[in-house]
Amino acid sequence: MSKLNVGETYEIDINNSNQAFILSAELRSKAAQIIASTDFPTTKTEAWKYTRVTKIKNTKFKILADFPLWRGIKGEESSNQIDKFLIPNLSGSVIVFVNGLFSSELSTIEAENGLEILPLNQDNTFKKDLGKLIPLENEIFYSLNTFYAQDGIAIRIAKNTQLKQTIQLIFISSGENTYIGNRNVIRCEDFSKAHITMNYVSLDNELAFNNTITEISVGSNAHLSVDKIQQESESMNSIISEFVQQEKDSTFSINTFTLGGDLVRNNLNIDVNGQNCETYLSGAYILKSKQHVDNHTIVDHKVAYCESNELYKGVIDDQATAVFNGKVFVRKDAQKINAFQSNGNILLSNTATINSKPELEIYADDVKCSHGSTTGQLDEEAIFYLKSRGISYKTAKKMIVGAFLEDVIKRVSNEHVQLYVNSLTNNSLKV
Amino acid sequence: MMLKIKNLHVSIDGKEILKGLNLEINPGEVHAIMGPNGAGKSTLASVLAGREEYEISDGTVDFDGKDLLELSTEDRAREGLFLAFQYPIEIPGVSNIQFLRTALNEIREYRGQEQISAKDFMALVREKSKIVELDSKLASRSVNEGFSGGEKKRNEIFQMAMIDPKLAILDETDSGLDIDALRIVANGVNKLKSKENATIVITHYQRLLDYIIPDFVHVLYNGKIVKTGPKELALELEERGYDWIKEELGMEN
C-alpha cells in the first residue's frame, strides 16, 4: 500500500519519491483509516484551542525524491552550506537530513564504543518496535507521520555507555510545498548518558510543512539531555513531537528554543514510568511579525518519588502569538511527587498575544505541585535606569530581555551550545 | 559655566510643577537644593536626566554649551551628566559589572575613545569600589537586586565614580541612610569632587550637608528657587522650617 485510496482524504503527493516507508504495514493501514475519517483540529478541539492549522489543511504538500536546492548543496559547495548550521566548537557526530532524507555526504559519524547511529530506511532492527506507543486515534498529524514517514535517525546508546561527545542532528528544509515527516528513535539504555542537539533550519523562505515525531526511551539510571533549536524560515509550518518513556532513576531534560517558523507546535509527551526520576522541560521563544508558537507539554507521573520541573519563557512582539499549555498528571498512588511549572512572558507590543495555561491534574494526596504564569511589559523604569548611565535604548532592551531569558538559556549544560543559543537569541531580538 | 537653567516651566499630567526655575552652576561648585515636599526637587532631577513623562512648556537648559533638553537620556549621560537615583532600580539578571562595562564602553564610543580592556576595567572596579567601601561581591551581583537601602545608595556613588561625570545630581541620596552609611556615601562624593566637576545635592535634611559642604544652598519652593544663601542657610532651615521664608517673601500657603 503506497497511496491512500479514499476520495476526499487529505493527501500528500508522493509521486516524485521512490523511497520505501518505514512504519509497519499494519500501523500505516490504521493511520490511513484515521486520516480518511478524521478532520483537522479546529479551535473547538480542546488541545488546539489557540492554534489554527487551516494553512496546512489547505496546502497540497509533496514529498521530494530529489530537490533543486539539494543538488546545490551537494558536492564541493556542500560543506560551506552546512557550516552555518553547525554549532561552533562542538565536537562529535553531525547527522544531516535534507527534506526528510538522510544525507551521507553531509553527515559525519564519529564512532564511539556503545554508540549506534543509522538512518531508519537502512535499518531492520529498530523498525519493528517503531510506533508502538504513538497514539493514532483522533490524531491526524501523528497518523500522517505514521503513514508517510520514509526516513529518520535511529540512535542507540548501549548499556553503561557514557558518550563523551554531543550528537548533532540537523534537519534542513527547502523547496516550495515540501512535506517533511521524519520518524526518529533515540534509545538510551540503562546506565547510559548522552547529549543530543536537534537543529531545525531552512535553506529558503518557501512554505513547507515539517511533521516530525521522535520516540525516546531513557532506561534505568540513564541520563539524556536534548537541546532542540528551531530557527526555520518564517513560512515554515512545524509540528514537532517527542514521545519520551522514562524508567526508574533516570533523568531527562529538554530545552526548546523557538526563534523561527510561521506556525510551530511542539508536543512534548513524557511518561514517567519508574520511581526516582527527574524531568526538566525548559523553553524560550522570541517571536515577531505574525509568528504563532504553541508549546504543549504533558508530564505523566505514573509512579511515586519523582520530580519534574518546567520553565518556559518568551518575548513576543508585533502581532505574534505564543501558547503555553503545560499539563502535569499525578496518578493515583504516585505519592511524593514534586512538580513545578512556570511560564513567563514579556509582551513587546499591544498586538502581541500570549495564551498561557499551566494545568495540574492530581489524583494522589501527598504531593507538592505548583504552577504559575506571569505576563508583563518591558520594564521601562529599568530601561531608563540603564539609559541614564549612557547605554542606548537598543542595548538596554537587549540586556533586559537577555536577562529575562537567561535562566532558561543557563539550563543548557554544554557551554558551546549555550553560547550558540545565546547568540541566536541575541540576533533575533528585534530593535 | 557648566549648567545654566533659565525660566524652566515643567508640568506633568497637566499640572505645572516647575514654574520658572533659574539656576547657574560653575565647575568646582557644590549646590544644595532644599525645600518642602512637593516643591519640585525630584521633578528637577528627573527633567535634567531626561525622563520623558514630563512636559517642558518653557525655558532653556544649557549644559556645557549644549542644549540639554534636545539630548536623549543616554546622550546626556555621555555628555557627562549623572543622576544618583532616589530609588535605584533593581534589574534581575543583569550583573553590575556587565552593566557598568557596557555603560563605560558606550560612553567611550560616543566620545570617540577606545573600548576599555577587561584588565583596566577590573582595576578600575577595584579602585572605585573602595571609595564607597562596596564589597566586591556586590559589584558582581545583579544590579541592585537584594541590596539593602544603604548598599543601593553606595552602588549609585560607585557607578558615579566609575563613570566620572562632569555634573552629578544626587536626588535624596541621604534618605533612609543610617549615620554610618551616610558618612560613607558623603565621603565618596567628597573624594570625587574636583575643580572640573560639579555636584547638585537635593535633600530634605540638613544632616547630609554636615558631610558634603555646599558652596550654595537654594530653597526650592512652589516650583521656583526663592532664596539662595551660603551653607549656614541649611542650618537655619533645619531649625526654623520653611514658614519664615514664606513670610519673608510675603507668600501665602
Side-chain angles (χ1 to χ4, degrees):
Chain A
M1 181 185 57
S2 64
K3 286 194 75 171
L4 291 165
N5 289 316
V6 188
E8 292 294 298
T9 301
Y10 185 78
E11 225 177 315
I12 287 162
D13 182 356
I14 53 170
N15 291 330
N16 292 315
S17 172
N18 51 12
Q19 300 289 326
F21 298 100
I22 55 174
L23 274 296
S24 69
E26 190 191 339
L27 282 174
R28 291 191 64 240
S29 157
K30 188 178 173 196
Q33 285 167 21
I34 289 161
I35 296 166
S37 60
T38 308
D39 288 330
F40 274 73
T42 66
T43 50
K44 291 197 182 90
T45 317
E46 184 58 29
W48 292 86
K49 196 172 172 184
Y50 304 107
T51 301
R52 288 182 185 84
V53 291
T54 37
K55 203 181 273 175
I56 295 173
K57 186 182 172 184
N58 295 335
T59 307
K60 180 81 178 168
F61 291 101
K62 55 182 186 280
I63 294 180
L64 302 174
D66 203 354
F67 325 101
L69 281 160
W70 165 228
R71 276 196 209 101
I73 63 170
K74 272 184 180 171
E76 282 178 36
E77 298 295 309
S78 61
S79 57
N80 296 338
Q81 292 256 16
I82 289 304
D83 278 356
K84 64 177 173 191
F85 302 131
L86 291 173
I87 297 169
N89 305 316
L90 193 63
S91 62
S93 298
V94 176
I95 313 295
V96 181
F97 281 76
V98 181
N99 282 352
L101 282 182
F102 175 71
S103 163
S104 55
E105 285 120 317
L106 299 175
S107 302
T108 326
I109 297 181
E110 306 249 346
E112 270 196 63
N113 276 340
L115 171 64
E116 198 181 336
I117 301 179
L118 87 170
L120 276 169
N121 73 5
Q122 297 169 21
D123 154 86
N124 287 311
T125 53
F126 291 96
K127 259 189 213 164
K128 60 180 194 299
D129 291 327
L130 224 48
K132 284 190 174 160
L133 296 168
I134 310 299
L136 296 178
E137 213 60 55
N138 294 321
E139 297 285 355
I140 189 155
F141 296 114
Y142 299 156
S143 297
L144 284 170
N145 177 282
T146 300
F147 189 79
Y148 288 106
Q150 294 183 332
D151 207 354
I153 198 73
I155 299 172
R156 185 172 79 101
I157 300 108
K159 191 173 174 182
N160 295 325
T161 303
Q162 318 275 311
L163 288 189
K164 288 176 190 70
Q165 305 191 91
T166 298
I167 301 168
Q168 217 178 133
L169 306 179
I170 302 175
F171 300 97
I172 301 174
S173 75
S174 93
E176 191 184 3
N177 295 347
T178 307
Y179 173 82
I180 300 161
N182 284 123
R183 175 68 64 98
N184 306 306
V185 52
I186 299 168
R187 272 193 213 155
C188 258
E189 296 183 355
D190 297 353
F191 297 92
S192 68
K193 187 176 181 187
H195 174 224
I196 296 173
T197 61
M198 302 174 95
N199 201 348
Y200 291 88
V201 299
S202 304
L203 278 184
D204 54 40
N205 199 18
E206 299 290 352
L207 174 72
F209 176 25
N210 190 337
N211 179 28
T212 287
I213 295 178
T214 303
E215 301 181 22
I216 298 172
S217 57
V218 190
S220 296
N221 219 81
H223 288 69
L224 175 63
S225 114
V226 176
D227 298 316
K228 180 171 158 187
I229 302 160
Q230 301 173 300
Q231 43 175 334
E232 290 165 309
S233 86
E234 54 194 58
S235 305
M236 192 71 192
N237 296 278
S238 284
I239 300 178
I240 310 291
S241 311
E242 284 85 22
F243 287 85
V244 182
Q245 300 293 321
Q246 263 190 277
E247 304 312 322
K248 67 175 189 300
D249 306 318
S250 68
T251 301
F252 173 72
S253 63
I254 183 164
N255 304 303
T256 306
F257 298 97
T258 310
L259 310 165
D262 178 29
L263 169 73
V264 177
R265 163 73 171 232
N266 290 313
N267 295 309
L268 259 177
N269 303 282
I270 323 284
D271 285 340
V272 188
N273 302 320
Q275 293 188 352
N276 194 34
C277 285
E278 288 177 37
T279 310
Y280 299 92
L281 314 181
S282 318
Y285 38 91
I286 300 178
L287 311 183
K288 49 185 175 288
S289 59
K290 288 186 170 164
Q291 284 184 286
H292 182 107
V293 171
D294 179 350
N295 279 300
H296 247 68
T297 66
I298 298 174
V299 178
D300 193 347
H301 284 292
K302 297 179 175 177
V303 295
Y305 304 107
C306 291
E307 186 159 333
S308 65
N309 185 306
E310 195 163 356
L311 175 67
Y312 275 76
K313 281 186 164 188
V315 180
I316 311 155
D317 205 345
D318 302 328
Q319 290 102 52
T321 301
V323 180
F324 173 78
N325 189 178
K327 198 160 192 174
V328 174
F329 289 100
V330 180
R331 302 293 173 183
K332 191 168 169 282
D333 302 328
Q335 305 294 2
K336 304 285 181 193
I337 295 292
N338 287 340
F340 172 76
Q341 255 187 329
S342 163
N343 175 228
N345 295 281
I346 292 181
L347 301 179
L348 291 178
S349 87
N350 290 332
T351 45
T353 307
I354 168 73
N355 293 297
S356 182
K357 202 174 155 200
E359 290 178 271
L360 289 167
E361 221 167 280
I362 301 172
Y363 300 98
D365 53 17
D366 184 13
V367 299
K368 215 188 278 173
C369 297
S370 71
H371 60 186
S373 172
T374 60
T375 299
Q377 271 95 38
L378 205 56
D379 183 351
E380 290 298 335
E381 274 299 300
I383 296 266
F384 179 74
Y385 191 70
L386 296 177
K387 282 168 66 179
S388 79
R389 301 303 184 241
I391 296 173
S392 67
Y393 177 73
K394 192 172 133 179
T395 310
K397 187 171 155 185
K398 280 198 173 191
M399 286 172 85
I400 288 168
V401 170
F404 174 70
L405 297 177
E406 199 187 13
D407 45 357
V408 177
I409 294 172
K410 275 198 168 148
R411 290 194 172 192
V412 175
S413 48
N414 180 288
E415 54 170 337
H416 303 301
V417 181
Q418 195 184 99
L419 277 173
Y420 180 70
V421 168
N422 222 342
S423 75
L424 289 180
T425 52
N426 251 323
N427 290 337
S428 65
L429 286 173
K430 198 187 78 160
V431 277
Chain B
M1 189 165 299
M2 181 182 280
L3 184 78
K4 185 170 183 174
I5 303 175
K6 224 168 127 182
N7 191 33
L8 189 62
H9 288 258
V10 173
S11 46
I12 187 164
D13 300 331
K15 189 177 179 237
E16 193 171 49
I17 309 285
L18 298 184
K19 303 169 181 174
L21 184 137
N22 296 296
L23 183 65
E24 294 184 2
I25 293 175
N26 291 302
E29 292 175 352
V30 176
H31 291 244
I33 296 180
M34 302 184 73
N37 279 331
K41 300 190 298 296
S42 281
T43 297
L44 176 63
S46 295
V47 167
L48 292 178
R51 265 196 202 277
E52 278 161 15
E53 54 266 40
Y54 293 93
E55 194 199 327
I56 296 154
S57 49
D58 203 1
T60 56
V61 180
D62 181 285
F63 179 53
D64 240 5
K66 293 233 157 64
D67 180 356
L68 189 79
L69 301 178
E70 285 297 306
L71 297 175
S72 65
T73 296
E74 55 269 38
D75 282 351
R76 294 177 196 203
R78 293 160 179 177
E79 289 289 343
L81 185 126
F82 181 91
L83 171 67
F85 281 54
Q86 183 178 3
Y87 305 110
I89 310 295
E90 296 187 10
I91 312 181
V94 175
S95 84
N96 234 351
I97 290 294
Q98 178 206 355
F99 154 58
L100 270 172
R101 192 158 175 213
T102 308
L104 281 189
N105 279 332
E106 292 213 4
I107 292 169
R108 282 170 172 241
E109 196 185 330
Y110 178 84
R111 295 176 184 168
Q113 296 164 337
E114 271 187 34
Q115 305 278 288
I116 189 166
S117 73
K119 189 168 161 265
D120 291 350
F121 176 76
M122 287 318 293
L124 198 65
V125 167
R126 275 192 296 275
E127 180 197 331
K128 301 298 184 185
S129 54
K130 274 185 208 139
I131 290 179
V132 283
E133 300 171 36
L134 193 71
D135 190 326
S136 58
K137 279 185 208 121
L138 289 182
S140 56
R141 289 227 311 252
S142 285
V143 178
N144 293 323
E145 194 186 29
F147 286 30
S148 70
E151 285 167 343
K152 282 181 183 169
K153 297 296 174 79
R154 267 146 70 182
N155 195 23
E156 293 294 289
I157 306 306
F158 167 59
Q159 292 171 34
M160 174 179 154
M162 290 292 292
I163 290 172
D164 189 20
K166 277 189 234 167
L167 176 65
I169 304 162
L170 312 183
D171 187 7
E172 310 253 0
T173 296
D174 53 330
S175 61
L177 294 187
D178 65 31
I179 197 70
D180 294 326
L182 182 76
R183 203 179 289 133
I184 291 168
V185 164
N187 281 343
V189 172
N190 288 332
K191 279 182 198 157
L192 296 170
K193 195 181 156 185
S194 78
K195 268 183 251 160
E196 286 78 41
N197 63 29
T199 311
I200 299 174
V201 182
I202 293 173
T203 182
H204 244 64
Y205 309 107
Q206 181 274 334
R207 188 181 64 155
L208 177 66
L209 304 179
D210 287 341
Y211 299 94
I212 302 174
I213 311 296
D215 299 299
F216 302 94
V217 175
H218 307 279
V219 178
L220 180 56
Y221 181 77
N222 198 19
K224 278 184 197 171
I225 286 177
V226 294
K227 192 176 178 68
T228 296
K231 61 176 194 287
E232 289 75 17
L233 176 58
L235 282 170
E236 204 171 348
L237 290 169
E238 181 82 358
E239 273 168 32
R240 300 174 61 190
Y242 292 95
D243 288 345
W244 64 276
I245 290 181
K246 289 183 221 167
E247 282 161 25
E248 194 180 287
L249 295 168
M251 296 196 309
E252 298 292 315
N253 271 332

